Amino acid sequence: MLPRLEAEEKLGAINVAALAAGAGEPLERQRIFAEMERKASGAARAPTREANPGDLAAMGIAARAEDGEGAVIADRDAWLGIGKPYDG
């Protein structure tokens, strides 16, 4: 087996064993098990939608609409946090 795939499968098994033993927060365990059940059943993931300029503005990201391209980040540096002091 490919080393990367083998490591990924081992890590997955370790995580499942830890979750089954009760590690982590109950809601997070429930979410992870539900996701594993969904994948095992072959169910499709719910489609996501692209953010519109209003969504981006609500997150503090300035954007403008371009013809045929959808929302474009108006201030890329601000979006990436470049030149903005960290206040965390």
Side-chain angles (χ1 to χ4, degrees):
M1 187 181 285
L2 299 171
R4 186 173 176 183
L5 181 58
E6 187 174 278
E8 185 178 317
E9 288 184 354
K10 285 181 181 178
L11 184 58
I14 290 168
N15 287 336
V16 168
L19 290 170
E25 295 294 321
L27 289 177
E28 182 65 10
R29 285 196 315 266
Q30 182 180 6
R31 185 194 65 76
I32 291 170
F33 278 122
E35 179 71 12
M36 286 190 289
E37 287 173 350
R38 183 194 61 75
K39 286 181 180 179
S41 71
R45 186 176 193 147
T48 57
R49 65 177 181 84
E50 290 187 20
N52 62 39
D55 295 332
L56 296 173
M59 293 184 281
I61 301 171
R64 64 181 188 281
E66 298 256 331
D67 291 335
E69 293 184 26
V72 175
I73 304 301
D75 186 352
R76 184 176 176 274
D77 287 347
W79 181 64
L80 294 173
I82 297 173
K84 188 174 169 184
Y86 177 73
D87 61 348

